[in-house]
Amino acid sequence: MGSEQLGAAGVGAAPEGGPFFTLAEVAKHNSNREAWLVIHGRVYDVGRFLGEHPGGEEVLLEQAGRDATESFEDVGHSTDAKEMLKEYLIGEVHPCDRKNEGSKDPNTTSSSQSSFWSTWLIPIFGALVIGLMYRYYMLDGKSS
Ligand code: HEM
């Protein structure tokens, strides 16, 4: 499964824009031999790591075929562990599926920022219009 090639390429083998996998494809690989998981939008084949994982193979198999970002982060893995991830990297989650991942993605910060502005700008603008109309009618009433 191209793992030899990745091994030879070494630690810097992050395939930028590399092979993309849909979440459905990842989900198919949840057996003892081929356990794929998604961490931070990247796809890892941890099949050959199962027996070596200090946290045991069970937890990995539990997450196999799924997005394991939350469980991986919850454990508070060391920087060494995060470095090790690169050895098992096989590709990235297809951009179409990444949107579905939703709220955890840093991309959503910009959209939540824009919704922040729309939720505040609309009432502020409305208040301004009401204020101006009020002034206009009050002055109008006084002058006549
Ligand atoms: C390719 C992915 C992973 C790698 C490379 C990895 C690596 C490691 C390493 C090196 C450790 C030793 C402690 C440390 O250095 O932080 C560890 C511990 C552990 N890992 Fe993972 N891990 C992976 C995925 C996961 C996942 C998905 C879970 C899901 C719950 C998990 C749960 C644990 C647990 C429970 C421990 C034991 C923590 C402890 O004894 O304090 N790991 N892992």
Side-chain angles (χ1 to χ4, degrees), residues 39 46 49 53-55 59-60 63 68 71-72 75 77-78 81 84-85:
I39 298 170
V46 293
F49 178 59
H53 182 222
V59 283
L60 291 183
Q63 298 300 323
S71 14
F72 183 81
V75 171
H77 281 95
S78 63
M84 283 171 77
L85 278 178

Side-chain angles (χ1 to χ4, degrees), residues 37-39 44-46 49 52-56 59-60 62-63 68-86 88:
L37 36 92
V38 174
I39 298 170
Y44 300 91
D45 180 355
V46 293
F49 178 59
E52 296 167 32
H53 182 222
V59 283
L60 291 183
E62 228 171 72
Q63 298 300 323
T69 310
E70 234 177 289
S71 14
F72 183 81
E73 291 299 338
D74 281 352
V75 171
H77 281 95
S78 63
T79 16
D80 274 357
K82 284 170 190 166
E83 280 293 310
M84 283 171 77
L85 278 178
K86 294 175 185 165
Y88 306 99

